[in-house]
């Protein structure tokens, strides 16, 4: 397990530590695929989900947030932010970013009915439906199209393109879903920085970065395999050994983030969780940070009296999933 921030950068950038695809996790890389080629296999959609790329979707994200807030305003009060906010907004945003024509209700159902990580994707009917949709209706000009283009250009030759896309889509959706729950929850527990952001909207960008640091979402990052013997902090990693990176450990590394348990939007690098997006091993972070910087101000400006409807300690959490999040988030206004 690797948890120091500097070590994670080494794991993500060293060509002798090769990331495995989700389907091949914990298996040695095939002899016919070089380290460089194997590293590219997980990357075709990464550039489409980076902050600079998803920025072009800002108008659509603003519009979708407005539609979800309209529905909340005319709906029940109190409400569950999971059902009324995070799930529909995640589905709508991911549908737009990935340029897909599927019914967003399918993705919404997948998020709400999310199963523990150990279950086979093949047995999940909603994920199977999305994968089959991508097989039959591929697109070319966005995040979903990238793996198809890569295969056509013979840049990668691994798992089928529609399977790669569904994996990328579901990872980004689950990460965003988690962020849209932990983000408002954290801000509600820290009213002072929330008030600062509402007074000075420029601070929302830093707040989004700090929210992602404070709640990275996932404990376990991608698994890598050492192609040769190497050493980290006097610890020998032998060729063929698996190395698991922990974004949570890196985000709470005291060498880089003093008093990591403090939610501080004024950290010098509060908005710079770039080890997760550059070189891009966890492509979901850029999307989550951008969406948080757009929709959190919209949520709290629309509902200035927003508050938790129950005590914070009464809120149940799901820790049996890839992305840790509240199981529900009752709020009132």
């Amino acid at each position: 397990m690797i948890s120091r921030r500097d070590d994670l950068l080494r794991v993500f950038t060293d060509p002798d530590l090769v990331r495995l695809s989700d389907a091949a996790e914990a298996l040695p890389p095939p002899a016919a695929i070089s380290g460089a080629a194997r590293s590219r296999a997980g990357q075709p959609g990464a550039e489409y989900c980076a902050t600079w790329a998803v920025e072009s979707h800002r108008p659509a994200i603003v519009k979708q947030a407005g539609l979800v807030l309209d529905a909340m305003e005319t709906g029940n009060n109190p409400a569950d932010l999971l059902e009324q906010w995070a799930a529909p907004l995640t589905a709508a945003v991911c549908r737009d970013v990935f340029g897909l024509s599927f019914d967003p209700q399918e993705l919404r159902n997948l998020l709400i009915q999310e199963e523990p990580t150990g279950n086979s994707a093949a047995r999940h009917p909603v994920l199977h439906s999305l994968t089959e949709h991508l097989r039959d209706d591929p697109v070319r000009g966005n995040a979903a199209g990238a793996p198809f283009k890569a295969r056509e250009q013979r840049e990668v030759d691994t798992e089928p393109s529609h399977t790669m896309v569904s994996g990328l889509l579901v990872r980004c959706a689950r990460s965003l879903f988690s962020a849209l729950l932990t983000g408002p929850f954290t801000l509600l527990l820290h009213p002072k920085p929330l008030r600062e952001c509402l007074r000075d909207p420029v601070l929302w960008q830093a707040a989004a970065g700090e929210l992602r640091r404070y709640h990275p979402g996932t404990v376990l990052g991608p698994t890598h395999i050492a192609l040769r013997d190497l050493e980290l902090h006097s610890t020998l990693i032998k060729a063929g050994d698996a190395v698991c990176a922990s974004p949570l450990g890196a985000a709470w590394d005291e060498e880089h983030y003093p008093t990591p348990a403090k939610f501080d939007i004024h950290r010098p690098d509060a908005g710079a969780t770039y080890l997760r997006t550059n070189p891009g091993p966890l492509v979901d972070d850029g999307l989550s940070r951008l969406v948080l910087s757009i929709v959190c101000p919209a949520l709290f400006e629309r509902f200035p009296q927003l508050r938790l409807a129950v005590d914070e300690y009464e809120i149940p959490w799901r820790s049996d999933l890839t992305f840790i999040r509240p199981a529900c988030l009752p709020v009132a206004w």
Side-chain angles (χ1 to χ4, degrees):
M1 173 73 73
I2 303 297
S3 60
R4 291 186 178 93
R5 189 176 189 274
D6 292 340
D7 290 347
L8 260 73
L9 283 170
R10 165 83 181 274
V11 169
F12 290 156
T13 56
D14 192 325
D16 290 318
L17 287 164
V18 182
R19 182 184 176 185
L20 299 180
S21 67
D22 292 339
E25 204 166 54
L27 295 177
I33 301 180
S34 68
R38 187 66 179 182
S39 295
R40 286 198 303 271
Q43 298 301 320
E47 63 183 283
Y48 292 84
C49 296
T51 303
W52 63 267
V54 296
E55 178 66 37
S56 64
H57 297 278
R58 178 179 289 270
I61 295 170
V62 171
K63 178 182 178 181
Q64 295 297 343
L67 293 173
V68 172
L69 289 170
D70 289 344
M72 278 183 59
E73 196 167 24
T74 58
N76 295 330
N77 179 13
D80 182 359
L81 276 189
L82 184 149
E83 291 271 0
Q84 304 303 319
W85 162 260
L89 189 51
T90 297
V93 168
C94 287
R95 184 178 186 271
D96 180 75
V97 168
F98 279 77
L100 302 176
S101 59
F102 65 83
D103 182 355
Q105 184 69 29
E106 284 193 294
L107 183 56
R108 183 180 182 278
N109 292 341
L110 176 63
L111 294 168
I112 292 178
Q113 301 166 10
E114 186 173 17
E115 297 181 1
T117 308
N119 286 354
S120 168
R123 296 199 302 268
H124 198 302
V126 180
L127 181 54
H128 177 75
S129 173
L130 289 176
T131 304
E132 290 304 302
H133 171 86
L134 291 164
R135 183 203 301 273
D136 298 334
D137 186 25
V139 290
R140 297 291 188 270
N142 43 50
F148 290 98
K149 287 180 178 178
R151 283 185 66 81
E152 290 167 356
Q153 297 167 5
R154 298 182 179 276
E155 292 178 6
V156 297
D157 186 20
T158 54
E159 58 190 312
S161 301
H162 60 276
T163 304
M164 293 171 63
V165 174
S166 64
L168 180 63
L169 166 66
V170 171
R171 178 178 181 89
C172 287
R174 286 176 170 167
S175 175
L176 180 56
F177 187 43
S178 172
L180 287 175
L181 291 167
T182 58
F185 174 78
T186 303
L187 290 168
L188 287 170
L189 295 185
H190 297 86
K192 182 180 177 181
L194 173 57
R195 288 194 299 269
E196 288 185 77
C197 289
L198 290 171
R199 286 196 301 266
D200 183 4
V202 173
L203 292 173
W204 281 113
Q205 186 71 28
E210 178 67 351
L211 286 170
R212 293 297 287 154
R213 183 204 68 81
Y214 199 74
H215 283 290
T218 181
V219 175
L220 300 179
T223 298
H224 290 67
I225 294 293
L227 298 183
R228 64 175 180 83
D229 290 355
L230 26 100
E231 193 173 285
L232 279 176
H233 289 288
S234 302
T235 299
L236 176 65
I237 300 173
K238 295 183 178 180
D241 282 354
V243 175
C244 184
S246 171
L248 177 61
W252 284 55
D253 186 339
E254 292 189 1
E255 290 187 15
H256 291 271
Y257 305 104
T259 60
K262 180 182 179 182
F263 179 71
D264 183 5
I265 63 174
H266 299 292
R267 291 182 186 276
D269 54 356
T273 51
Y274 293 116
L275 78 91
R276 305 190 68 224
T277 55
N278 185 6
L282 300 174
V283 299
D284 51 87
D285 196 59
L287 175 62
S288 295
R289 282 186 289 113
L290 178 68
V291 172
L292 284 173
S293 71
I294 295 171
V295 304
C296 281
L299 174 65
F300 286 100
E301 287 169 6
R302 178 72 69 95
F303 301 112
Q305 303 302 318
L306 192 73
R307 64 189 185 280
L308 293 177
V310 298
D311 188 275
E312 63 177 284
Y313 299 107
E314 295 180 29
I315 296 174
W317 283 72
R318 293 288 303 272
S319 58
D320 58 332
L321 306 171
T322 305
F323 294 94
I324 299 171
R325 59 165 175 79
C328 63
L329 192 57
V331 296
W333 56 91

